Amino acid sequence: MLVTLHEILSDANERHYAVGAFNCLSLENVMGALEAAEELRSPIILQLAEVQFPEAPMELMAPLFLEAAKRSSVPVCVHLDHGQSLETCVKAIRLGFTSVMFDGAGLPFDDNVRMSKEVTRIAKAAGVDVEAELGKVGDAGDSMADVFTDVGESVRFVEETGIDALAIAIGNQHGHYVHTPQLNIQRLIEIHDAVGLPLVLHGGSGTSIEDFKACIRNGICKINVATAIQRGVMKRIKERLAQNPDEEYIPLKKVMTEASREVVTEHILLFKDPYPTSPRGGEKDPLYLPEGRR
Ligand code: 13P
């Protein structure tokens, strides 16, 4: 069933789990991701980023995402990832996306507030939810100096814009990490205590299990994963071609769907119940930090 971001994230926020948001560039990605979600009876977010439009145009992908979501037996949110302009966000809203991200993280703070607020005003009139970003997530290899989300700015940003979810920068980066990152969980705790809104972790691929757990424990409700799917699919294609260099197209299509399902399954299981021994919905320990980082 097709649902909004708010519907999916409010339950995750209340019960301390995170929902995987998977960047899907093909039919195989979408079919594999939904098979995984249905098998695990888990909500899921299908998303497409504006930088991916050349390979997967939004106008073509929207009907696929939306029809797949409507047919699914689990809650599915169809989300625009990293919308770079008001125009792109409005286009996504008109195409039926149930949430949009406006990415103004590269703008000066006041411009980011003004633009995110404008996107939110328009989206809300259409019943669509909004994610926005503060701090610079950047790409793997970028310098990490002075890019973390500021706690005081997050409070002002959330109050002034009226967004539904805030993407933060705590040492996470998009793409292939050279080294496994050590996320700034202390900063996450401070932001979460200050804003109380569902928080979003971008750059999920390559994060340690320990950091995933600490993030989910401390307010991250949506985790974006793109690179891991692409890598997982490529790995399986190479393996199949190594076994059989003359493999045909249709069996390879099946390999791509199956590999997408595997990667999404692995992540949903990680995000779903990281504390099986703790009472779900019980008091969380606000000081939870990974071993050795207390
Ligand atoms: P990764 O490619 O690092 O998983 O990042 C995905 C992402 O954050 C999309 O917005």
Side-chain angles (χ1 to χ4, degrees):
M1 69 209 79
L2 179 64
V3 300
T4 64
L5 188 68
H6 178 77
E7 280 175 78
I8 281 198
L9 295 193
S10 49
D11 187 63
N13 200 21
E14 233 169 73
R15 298 198 290 143
H16 309 311
Y17 65 92
V19 180
F22 300 97
N23 290 68
C24 292
L25 303 185
S26 67
L27 175 63
E28 292 75 24
N29 289 161
V30 171
M31 284 174 65
L34 287 185
E35 274 173 27
E38 291 190 342
E39 202 172 277
L40 297 169
R41 308 304 308 150
S42 169
I44 188 170
I45 299 164
L46 299 180
Q47 62 182 18
L48 182 69
E50 186 163 355
V51 290
Q52 296 163 334
F53 290 177
E55 289 73 40
M58 180 163 67
E59 290 78 1
L60 299 184
M61 297 303 282
L64 166 62
F65 279 27
L66 291 166
E67 190 55 32
K70 285 177 195 157
R71 286 180 187 208
S72 174
S73 60
V74 294
V76 183
C77 167
V78 173
H79 177 77
L80 169 70
D81 187 30
H82 292 286
Q84 293 164 359
S85 67
L86 178 67
E87 288 71 20
T88 303
C89 292
V90 170
K91 227 181 208 180
I93 292 167
R94 288 178 61 101
L95 284 167
F97 281 55
T98 52
S99 67
V100 293
M101 177 198 185
F102 172 70
D103 180 0
L107 299 173
F109 178 77
D110 287 338
D111 293 343
N112 191 4
V113 169
R114 187 175 48 76
M115 288 295 300
S116 301
K117 190 173 168 178
E118 182 64 357
V119 169
T120 307
R121 191 179 66 79
I122 294 169
K124 290 291 159 188
V128 168
D129 294 332
V130 178
E131 172 187 333
E133 182 172 311
L134 194 58
K136 188 169 179 298
V137 172
D139 298 318
D142 284 358
S143 154
M144 293 307 299
D146 252 349
V147 293
F148 296 155
T149 304
D150 181 82
V151 181
E153 281 189 353
S154 344
V155 176
R156 268 186 60 201
F157 190 78
V158 166
E159 277 174 8
E160 290 183 29
T161 57
I163 56 169
D164 301 277
L166 177 68
I168 58 170
I170 51 169
N172 45 315
Q173 292 183 325
H174 295 113
H176 304 269
Y177 285 113
V178 185
H179 304 290
T180 305
Q182 277 227 333
L183 301 182
N184 189 336
I185 304 298
Q186 188 55 46
R187 179 65 61 93
L188 166 62
I189 292 171
E190 289 162 17
I191 296 169
H192 185 231
D193 284 349
V195 303
L197 200 71
L199 300 176
V200 182
L201 183 75
H202 281 246
S205 305
T207 304
S208 68
I209 293 176
E210 195 185 43
D211 271 351
F212 273 145
K213 286 185 174 185
C215 282
I216 296 165
R217 187 63 164 172
N218 293 294
I220 293 290
C221 297
K222 171 177 182 271
I223 301 181
N224 289 7
V225 177
T227 305
I229 302 181
Q230 294 163 18
R231 282 192 153 180
V233 170
M234 284 311 298
K235 183 166 175 277
R236 290 277 177 259
I237 290 176
K238 285 178 192 166
E239 283 169 4
R240 178 60 70 94
L241 289 175
Q243 282 165 2
N244 178 10
D246 297 324
E247 187 59 284
E248 298 285 348
Y249 179 72
I250 299 290
L252 275 183
K253 248 176 98 59
K254 289 184 183 158
V255 166
M256 290 187 251
T257 303
E258 179 55 22
S260 306
R261 191 184 66 77
E262 276 173 18
V263 175
V264 172
T265 298
E266 182 195 322
H267 285 85
I268 290 178
L269 287 173
L270 272 175
F271 302 160
K272 216 182 164 188
D273 198 8
Y275 293 92
T277 53
S278 69
R280 301 266 299 195
E283 277 300 295
K284 75 185 174 92
D285 169 8
L287 293 178
Y288 177 83
L289 285 171
E291 284 302 320
R293 309 237 310 261
R294 289 167 205 268

